[in-house]
Amino acid sequence: MKKLKILFLCHYPIDKIKPEGVIYRTKNQHPASWVEGIVNSISQNENYSVFILTVSSYLKHSITFEYDNKNITVVRNPYSIPWTLRGLPSFLFIEKLTRYIFIRLKLRKIIKNKIKPDLIYSFGTENFYSISAINLGIPNIIHIQGPIAEYYKKSKMFNQRLQIPIERKSIKNTKYFFARTKFDNEFIQKINSKATIFNVWEPVREVFFKYQWSNPLDFSILYVGIMSKELKNPELLIRAIPILKEKYPGIKVNIIGYVNKKYFNSLNNLIAKLNVSSYINFLGYKNAEEIAEALSKNRIFILTSKCENSPNSLAEAMVVGVPIIASAVGGIPSMIDDGVNGFLFNNSVEDLVQKIDILFSSQKICNEFSNNAQLLGRKRFASENVSKFTIQIFSNILKDEKI
């Protein structure tokens, strides 16, 4: 029986693959763990041949190679600075201003003339992958990550504003979608009322299933995520500390994640102004194992974002079982049932302080939240369950398209 070709059109971290015979920049890239989990599972299925098509500025020329049951093509980004391993400065917005035309032409040529897939699975609407897959005469699924038009309402970031018409065109010209929350479902349907939407959760990396919340009796809080004022809003947690330290002088806030220098200085100025520096630990970048261990050893996990769809950090916290407090925004209410497997709060310092106080004061509620979140998370985000459902959907789509 001929294997069907599934093309994953997405970011893929080449620093993990370490391809031979090509010079590439050894820089920590976004791990794209949700992509890796799905790709690795599908590549083990005997009915499918897996192809990955990705773009990078971190190598000197394009390359195609085999790796762990996958055929991978890495295209050098045509918007890279010549003779370097760097892309154009992001503040120039040249890629978006030109609607990614040079990347799209390259990708579409490879898809049509070389790979010739039976099905395309493109990740996200925040870049050029989904727009490159439309109108090719090949069934295409868009895997929604975060609705950029909705994020822009909160962030007002110019680069997101430029992406909105590209996102809209991608969604309007695609039939199939993978989504997860009420938030992303409603967003898709507003743009494309004829869309066929499959609700499929993203898998959590296996290492998080190896850790169990240790039920510490201290007053520790963990924050995990790229720190940005526009969307992630860690300032909210910092502003809660002066109030909480009066009742809980042993409080410790541990912060994991990348932060740019300018915003880090801004946060440090706020911390100094509030006189809470002794209560906060900036831990910087941590790998998956280190994050899983931190989740197991802190009393509470807090997510303060202004807008999210289905954040991986929240799914990972659920799998480990740490009690959760998260903003009641975007798709988060589709993950956290308020008062059952965590608390939702209204993005005010006062409400956040109240919810933290309840969890610091009640071991019983902490244990209930932990058990309920873990029970749901370990079923919903298990790679095996997600891959089985995904393969069934692929089969149904290919059957409907008579392939």
Side-chain angles (χ1 to χ4, degrees):
M1 180 181 171
K2 177 190 170 186
K3 285 189 173 185
L4 295 168
K5 292 181 180 180
I6 308 294
L7 171 62
F8 290 87
L9 189 57
C10 58
H11 165 72
Y12 206 78
I14 61 170
D15 59 326
K16 287 187 178 182
I17 302 167
K18 297 178 173 59
E20 296 179 4
V22 62
I23 298 172
Y24 64 95
R25 185 177 169 198
T26 54
K27 176 187 176 182
N28 284 332
Q29 300 173 40
H30 195 293
S33 57
W34 57 95
V35 176
E36 273 199 297
I38 294 172
V39 168
N40 290 338
S41 296
I42 303 301
S43 67
Q44 303 304 315
N45 188 285
E46 60 184 14
N47 295 318
Y48 300 112
S49 292
V50 168
F51 291 76
I52 297 168
L53 181 55
T54 191
V55 175
S56 177
S57 294
Y58 299 155
L59 74 175
K60 285 198 170 180
H61 59 81
S62 302
I63 183 173
T64 297
F65 57 98
E66 296 279 342
Y67 177 82
D68 193 24
N69 287 337
K70 297 178 277 285
N71 184 295
I72 302 175
T73 297
V74 185
V75 175
R76 175 168 164 84
N77 192 332
Y79 291 92
S80 302
I81 299 174
W83 306 293
T84 73
L85 300 179
R86 297 178 181 276
L88 292 172
S90 59
F91 60 80
L92 295 177
F93 307 118
I94 291 175
E95 291 185 4
K96 288 184 170 65
L97 287 168
T98 59
R99 303 289 175 97
Y100 306 108
I101 184 62
F102 299 112
I103 299 177
R104 288 161 56 194
L105 287 172
K106 276 199 169 193
L107 294 179
R108 290 169 73 84
K109 185 177 180 181
I110 292 169
I111 294 168
K112 288 193 294 184
N113 299 338
K114 292 185 178 180
I115 299 176
K116 300 176 182 176
D118 296 296
L119 179 66
I120 302 172
Y121 189 19
S122 53
F123 276 81
T125 55
E126 67 274 20
N127 49 41
F128 43 78
Y129 290 114
S130 293
I131 193 71
S132 299
I134 65 172
N135 301 327
L136 283 170
I138 302 169
N140 174 39
I141 302 167
I142 290 182
H143 180 114
I144 294 289
Q145 293 189 56
I148 298 302
E150 295 297 321
Y151 284 11
Y152 174 72
K153 291 176 183 178
K154 297 292 184 181
S155 74
K156 301 302 180 185
M157 294 169 68
F158 184 60
N159 67 325
Q160 292 184 341
R161 177 68 187 89
L162 291 175
Q163 187 67 27
I164 290 172
I166 302 168
E167 174 181 64
R168 186 175 183 84
K169 184 175 180 180
S170 300
I171 293 173
K172 209 171 182 65
N173 289 277
T174 299
K175 181 177 179 181
Y176 302 108
F177 296 85
F178 273 26
R180 293 164 298 290
T181 66
K182 181 181 178 184
F183 178 58
D184 59 21
N185 273 251
E186 290 177 348
F187 176 72
I188 295 165
Q189 288 166 344
K190 274 192 294 187
I191 298 171
N192 184 350
S193 60
K194 296 180 180 178
T196 301
I197 302 173
F198 302 97
N199 286 301
V200 186
W201 292 98
E202 294 173 339
V204 165
R205 288 168 284 184
E206 290 300 319
V207 65
F208 289 92
F209 289 81
K210 298 175 183 177
Y211 283 83
Q212 171 77 37
W213 182 58
S214 62
N215 200 356
L217 299 178
D218 59 8
F219 303 113
S220 56
I221 293 170
L222 183 66
Y223 171 98
V224 179
I226 296 173
M227 281 166 274
S228 66
K229 182 176 184 177
E230 295 83 3
L231 287 174
K232 299 298 184 179
N233 201 24
E235 292 178 33
L236 190 65
L237 175 56
I238 292 169
R239 292 182 184 281
I241 298 171
I243 304 168
L244 289 162
K245 71 183 179 67
E246 299 303 318
K247 185 174 181 180
Y248 305 103
I251 188 174
K252 277 291 178 186
V253 176
N254 299 306
I255 299 176
I256 291 175
Y258 169 80
V259 57
N260 68 51
K261 188 175 181 181
K262 183 179 179 181
Y263 188 49
F264 184 63
N265 291 338
S266 172
L267 289 176
N268 274 323
N269 289 338
L270 175 63
I271 289 165
K273 180 182 177 182
L274 297 175
N275 194 27
V276 292
S277 59
S278 61
Y279 301 95
I280 299 173
N281 295 320
F282 284 102
L283 303 176
Y285 170 83
K286 298 293 178 183
N287 63 33
E289 181 108 31
E290 291 167 328
I291 294 171
E293 184 177 6
L295 286 167
S296 73
K297 291 183 175 180
N298 279 267
R299 179 77 173 269
I300 302 172
F301 170 84
I302 290 180
L303 187 72
T304 56
S305 300
K306 296 177 183 178
C307 190
E308 293 273 10
N309 186 24
S310 58
N312 290 294
S313 60
L314 183 57
E316 290 160 358
M318 291 175 69
V319 167
V320 173
V322 57
I324 292 164
I325 302 173
S327 311
V329 298
I332 291 174
S334 293
M335 300 176 73
I336 297 300
D337 186 356
D338 188 31
V340 177
N341 63 349
F343 275 138
L344 296 175
F345 78 104
N346 64 12
N347 257 14
S348 71
V349 171
E350 295 74 19
D351 196 26
L352 178 58
V353 167
Q354 182 184 21
K355 300 294 168 57
I356 292 172
D357 185 29
I358 292 171
L359 291 187
F360 275 173
S361 303
S362 175
Q363 197 61 30
K364 180 175 180 290
I365 295 175
C366 283
N367 288 333
E368 286 176 0
F369 284 3
S370 173
N371 292 335
N372 291 338
Q374 192 173 63
L375 187 66
L376 177 62
R378 295 200 168 212
K379 179 180 179 182
R380 177 181 282 179
F381 307 122
S383 182
E384 182 182 358
N385 295 340
V386 174
S387 64
K388 280 181 181 177
F389 192 33
T390 300
I391 288 168
Q392 184 58 55
I393 293 169
F394 284 176
S395 177
N396 292 342
I397 291 174
L398 291 167
K399 194 179 296 180
D400 288 346
E401 298 288 336
K402 296 181 171 54
I403 294 173

